[in-house]
Amino acid sequence: MPRPHSPRRARITFSDSAAKQLESLTSEADIHALDRALVVISVDPDVGEPIPGTAAGPRLRQYADDVERVRILYWVSVLQTVVVVAYLEV
């Protein structure tokens, strides 16, 4: 009997400003903490809290992990297959 597949993860991409923030990370602990948070978001893009805003732009969400001290602002594509990270705080 074939094994059921696990749900597909969303692909993570970075805005230009988030990519620059990512490049500035040098601590292995910070990189590990960020990686763990990105995995959580890729598995469940709705995990973060919606940030109130206007309907004109993307619907931003915020994911914060108080244990790892990570905060990520992101938005999810319409089909929930791509998560675009707009801001990182580690």
Side-chain angles (χ1 to χ4, degrees):
M1 176 176 223
R3 230 172 95 188
H5 293 279
S6 60
R8 190 174 148 162
R9 290 183 180 187
R11 191 179 82 199
I12 303 287
T13 62
F14 297 93
S15 68
D16 291 341
S17 61
K20 287 179 185 174
Q21 290 172 312
L22 185 61
E23 289 173 4
S24 69
L25 292 178
T26 57
S27 163
E28 186 124 354
D30 288 347
I31 293 169
H32 178 71
L34 177 61
D35 187 49
R36 288 174 50 103
L38 292 173
V39 167
V40 170
I41 293 171
S42 72
V43 171
D44 182 8
D46 292 326
V47 72
E49 300 173 6
I51 296 175
T54 65
R59 300 186 72 194
L60 288 174
R61 300 184 74 81
Q62 170 182 264
Y63 174 75
D65 183 333
D66 295 331
V67 174
E68 297 283 354
R69 296 187 336 250
V70 173
R71 186 168 77 116
I72 301 173
L73 300 182
Y74 66 98
W75 69 88
V76 182
S77 68
V78 174
L79 298 177
Q80 293 197 339
T81 57
V82 177
V83 173
V84 179
V85 175
Y87 174 77
L88 307 170
E89 186 176 287
V90 181

